Amino acid sequence: MRVNGAEVEAAVDPRTSLLDLLRETLGLSGTKKGCDQGACGACTVLADGERILSCLALAVQYAGREITTVEGLAGPDGPHPLQRAFIDHDGFQCGYCTPGHLCSAVGMAAEAARGVPSYVTADLTADRVVLDRDEIRERMSGNLCRCGAHNGIVAAIAATYAAGPGERA
Amino acid sequence: MTTSAHGRAPVGPAPENWAGPVPDPLTDPARTRRIGEPMPRLEGLAKVTGRIKFAAEHAYPGMLYAALACSTIPKGRITALDVADAERAPGVVLVMTHRNAPRMNPMPGFGSDPKAGGFDTLPVLQDDRVHWNGQPIAVVLAETQEQADHAATLIRVGYAPEPAVTSWEEAVANGTAPTTIYGGPGRRELGDAEAALRAADVSVDEVYRTPYHNHAAIEPHAATVLWDGDELFVHDTTQMVAHSAWSLAKIFGIPEERVHISAPYLGGGFGGKGLWWYQVLAAAASRLAGRPVRIALTRENVFRTVGSRARTEQRVAIGATADGRFEAIIHTGASATSRSADLSEPFILPAQCTYAARTFKLGVEVAYLDMMANTSMRAPGGAVGSFALECAIDELAVKLGMDPIELRLRNEPRQEPIDGRPLSARNLVRAWRAGAERFGWDRRNPTPGAVRDGEWLIGMGCAAATHPYVRSPGAAARITLHRDGRAEVEVAAHDMGMGTATAQTQVIADRLGLEPHQVTFRFGDSRLPGLVMAGGSQQTAAIGAAVAAAHRELLAQLLKLVGDGSPLGGLEPDQVGSLDGGVAALDDPSRHESYADILDRAGRDRLVAEAVAQPPEELTARSMHSFGAMFCEVRVSSVTGEVRVTRFLGSMDCGRIVNPRTAASQFRGGIIMGIGLALTEELVLDDRTGRVVNASLADYHIPVHLDVPEIDLIWTDIPDPHAPMGARGIGEIGITGTGAAIANAVYNATGRRVRDLPITPDKLL
């Protein structure tokens, strides 16, 4: 598979999750393990641009896929605008849920850009979804934060994607 | 005051006695530049790029992975323990049980020594006894986590169960016992409160119940441990590095200096990250195996092997005159505990300080269960005690036909209510008035159930928030001043997300007259000076006082270095202060010499000053508490009973705010945890087996984004003259009052009074 643009090869135990492959085998500990049960979202990464819970993904199932982790969000010009926005809006305290929130938000913005509706979307047939605060709050509810940085997280995502859904995804 | 050319005054030595009449010079805005600035977190970029390493993210050659096997009965003896299959499983290096574990001393119980850090005093894997359902009975070490996890499932255990107390009702029926609150009295009385209650014009007398709560930090507890001979090194996630190091040394019978704990970053703590069995088990297994060990608790392990907040049952009775003066405040009841913890949930703390009354009867007792040791969680006592007290006041206001804010203002004390200590910068009345205006309290309809928007019933509620000012003895700081004008400050303190390092960098910059980029604050390591627990919302004050003491020492040392040719020649330490990267005379700041020049001339590369903070005499001499006025609007579905918090305002009075950005996040974090306390959080122990039923984040419901409104905040920002920098604690107060504000808003919306948390839809249908 490719991870953050680089080809990686690893012989893995068939029981190994994508999360443990990233953290233990590849040393990419930016992706976090919060529950290992798919309940907290801390392990969210992008697989071919879609957000997935890497703790519920077996590594062997992702052969040939393109995985992006928090370490791969930054571009050649420095951090991703969303990463900067999280700092500007104090969208974290301890920082443990932050990588999952960042990857999830990038994937979420792409979903909105494709017009995928959510529970709070009024017009289910619209081509595009405007990411207002309620849309962001609903779509990010799979990522838990215990420090209580919710306001800052939503503000950071809104600031980043206010120009138009998915434009920076 | 005498100021320099650009209008600032030197920062002289802080007072030797914080209870005395002279405040910290840093309470004066004319002496500060960085305190009060919304400085972004220093470690922000490292956190958003995933570069911060947490306790389970350090790898060593030969490191083994640990998995736990845990008991499935609450009490009894292990009669059979077959580990043969586990030992033969692929990759397994060691299975450790009570049969082969090294002999270890029990954890020193918290409070039994200033450095004791154990919340559970049981022997760890030393015998065949089971004390709670979920107690670790074996540790498997293997080459990979998958191998260890699998092998742990192959261990077969037989038990001889013994009768266990696993239900609250049974525990209470067995009799509750008097207890203490952190070593202080668990019972406070003034006058005959029961008689005053009976004689009162108007009264309420109700019972409130709160369930077990789990800290649920997103980072599960973890440690990576290495032995080098008889030296132990631990990457841990702990709120008490120095306590843990001393305690582990006692457990393993080795000198304190041979245990080294590093915990610079925690993925959340909230009271749950202390010394528990997992560090002891990992260190013992590592010693047996002779290899480094990583133990990373599963989420289930976190719920079953680390303590939670205990459940409570609280009676609150208030008697008042017809015009609303409190004649009696009674707040009594019990909380659950294990024999091994013997720790109360001190829910009487708010009633001790918030209101004046002619008589008081306050007391907390404990009911013993065979359960995992309970522990402190954000605002111990205050979070659940303020729920009961502030709901009762709302109920009394209804009976009196009085506005609940007016009722509270009428009973504002002029001194600490029971023992009469003088108040220190208490501005709760101002917080109430400012909050009521900002929130639009005058638009509240006092008639329950009167405001409706389709299926939604809308209500407003309020409650007082309070948390004691805490500063434990023993904090120390070391300042190293370099010839180039930089300073390093080292304290064995913690930053689990509160922004400690950022806020302290601002404080140190102002105290030493430096720019923040010239200051390096080192923390989170047991080899650094002093004893500071990240608990009681005390770190800002505790570190602040330690740095102030070291600064006093630094000024004295600097004056010893200056020669006769210096503009500072002939001055005494209490005549000088720090200003603009150097030392200046307090009464004439033009007499100034830079640190660099002083060190240069003395031929010194650096100067080191270390000191222990002055004893916390202000705690006993003054009534010092953080306060807040919490305002809430809810919408309750008349169809489903679902409660949505739509608006929230915290109007806070916590002394001076050091960093408005990180402080706002601290307040919001507490309030959001309070939303969980009010509406969703309930850790359930099976009455029959004592086993945690909902040991997962799918079943223990903390607030998610859609549960959290935009939270508005204002604060008085009035310095407390007896607190370092004028700043009282801010980390825990947000969770206090919030539960009651929400419950009171639900009452205003629906006319339904829910007295047992959480307020789930079934209780409103």
Side-chain angles (χ1 to χ4, degrees), chain B residues 547-630:
Chain B
V547 174
H551 177 238
R552 167 181 288 275
E553 168 69 18
L554 182 75
L555 289 173
Q557 288 195 28
L558 283 162
L559 280 191
K560 282 186 196 152
L561 292 184
V562 304
D564 292 340
S566 164
L568 303 169
L571 291 171
E572 296 295 319
D574 57 2
Q575 296 174 312
V576 298
S578 289
L579 181 73
D580 294 338
V583 181
L586 291 177
D587 61 0
D588 178 9
S590 68
R591 294 179 68 185
H592 178 275
E593 188 167 24
S594 72
Y595 297 135
D597 286 350
I598 297 171
L599 265 63
D600 219 31
R601 199 136 45 81
R604 299 284 292 267
D605 284 333
R606 70 179 70 85
L607 196 59
V608 181
E610 182 172 336
V612 179
Q614 272 76 16
E617 290 182 27
E618 71 275 24
L619 286 172
T620 44
R622 306 280 163 176
S623 166
M624 294 174 71
H625 306 271
S626 285
F627 288 104
M630 303 304 213

Side-chain angles (χ1 to χ4, degrees), chain B residues 489-511:
Chain B
V489 178
E490 298 169 302
V491 183
H494 313 81
D495 193 344
M496 48 189 183
M498 310 89 98
T500 313
T502 308
Q504 289 299 332
T505 297
Q506 293 170 260
V507 171
I508 293 162
D510 277 349
R511 181 129 6 236

Side-chain angles (χ1 to χ4, degrees), chain A residues 24 34 83 90 93 137 146, chain B residues 41 65 215 299 665 681:
Chain A
E24 303 301 328
Q83 291 173 310
D90 212 30
Q93 292 195 42
R137 291 197 302 142
R146 188 53 158 169
Chain B
R41 287 169 202 277
Y65 293 80
H215 314 80
R299 185 53 64 177
S665 289
E681 293 187 36

Side-chain angles (χ1 to χ4, degrees), chain A residues 18-29:
Chain A
L18 177 59
L19 173 61
D20 285 336
L21 172 79
L22 292 168
R23 283 170 63 85
E24 303 301 328
T25 312
L26 303 180
L28 293 171
S29 59

Side-chain angles (χ1 to χ4, degrees), chain B residues 329-354:
Chain B
I329 294 180
I330 296 172
H331 194 160
T332 56
S335 62
T337 194
S338 69
R339 298 268 174 200
S340 63
D342 213 351
L343 180 74
S344 71
E345 178 65 30
F347 50 72
I348 63 172
L349 293 179
Q352 287 184 16
C353 70
T354 313

Side-chain angles (χ1 to χ4, degrees), chain B residues 416-696:
Chain B
E416 177 86 1
I418 298 177
D419 63 28
R421 278 173 293 157
L423 306 178
S424 184
R426 175 175 169 136
N427 294 285
L428 177 56
V429 170
R430 191 188 291 216
W432 273 118
R433 296 214 160 105
E437 184 180 343
R438 187 172 174 101
F439 194 73
W441 184 255
D442 58 352
R443 296 196 299 273
R444 171 179 181 264
N445 186 327
T447 308
V451 183
R452 201 177 178 109
D453 174 15
E455 78 172 75
W456 296 94
L457 297 162
I458 302 171
M460 289 190 205
C462 67
T466 180
H467 193 269
Y469 167 88
V470 178
R471 187 165 76 79
S472 302
R478 180 165 56 228
I479 302 173
T480 303
L481 195 60
H482 293 272
R483 201 173 190 164
D484 60 6
R486 286 180 307 110
E488 284 161 21
V489 178
E490 298 169 302
V491 183
H494 313 81
D495 193 344
M496 48 189 183
M498 310 89 98
T500 313
T502 308
Q504 289 299 332
T505 297
Q506 293 170 260
V507 171
I508 293 162
D510 277 349
R511 181 129 6 236
L512 300 184
L514 298 173
E515 294 298 327
H517 69 83
Q518 296 174 296
V519 173
T520 304
F521 181 66
R522 294 193 205 286
F523 59 97
D525 190 299
S526 64
R527 298 225 160 142
L528 300 179
L531 192 66
V532 185
M533 183 177 65
S537 302
Q538 68 167 310
Q539 284 202 131
T540 299
I543 302 167
V547 174
H551 177 238
R552 167 181 288 275
E553 168 69 18
L554 182 75
L555 289 173
Q557 288 195 28
L558 283 162
L559 280 191
K560 282 186 196 152
L561 292 184
V562 304
D564 292 340
S566 164
L568 303 169
L571 291 171
E572 296 295 319
D574 57 2
Q575 296 174 312
V576 298
S578 289
L579 181 73
D580 294 338
V583 181
L586 291 177
D587 61 0
D588 178 9
S590 68
R591 294 179 68 185
H592 178 275
E593 188 167 24
S594 72
Y595 297 135
D597 286 350
I598 297 171
L599 265 63
D600 219 31
R601 199 136 45 81
R604 299 284 292 267
D605 284 333
R606 70 179 70 85
L607 196 59
V608 181
E610 182 172 336
V612 179
Q614 272 76 16
E617 290 182 27
E618 71 275 24
L619 286 172
T620 44
R622 306 280 163 176
S623 166
M624 294 174 71
H625 306 271
S626 285
F627 288 104
M630 303 304 213
F631 296 84
C632 173
E633 179 193 86
V634 298
R635 295 164 75 91
V636 183
S637 169
S638 57
V639 178
T640 65
E642 176 186 3
V643 178
R644 310 302 301 175
V645 177
T646 45
R647 289 202 299 138
F648 203 100
L649 166 68
S651 176
M652 314 308 292
D653 175 44
C654 304
R656 190 152 188 220
I657 296 299
V658 174
N659 181 326
R661 176 193 301 250
T662 52
S665 289
Q666 281 285 88
F667 290 137
R668 288 197 175 97
I671 290 165
I672 292 166
M673 210 175 270
I675 293 174
L677 171 141
L679 298 178
T680 58
E681 293 187 36
E682 178 174 24
L683 190 71
V684 179
L685 272 64
D686 190 316
D687 274 356
R688 301 159 300 177
T689 64
R691 192 164 177 81
V692 175
V693 173
N694 50 343
S696 83

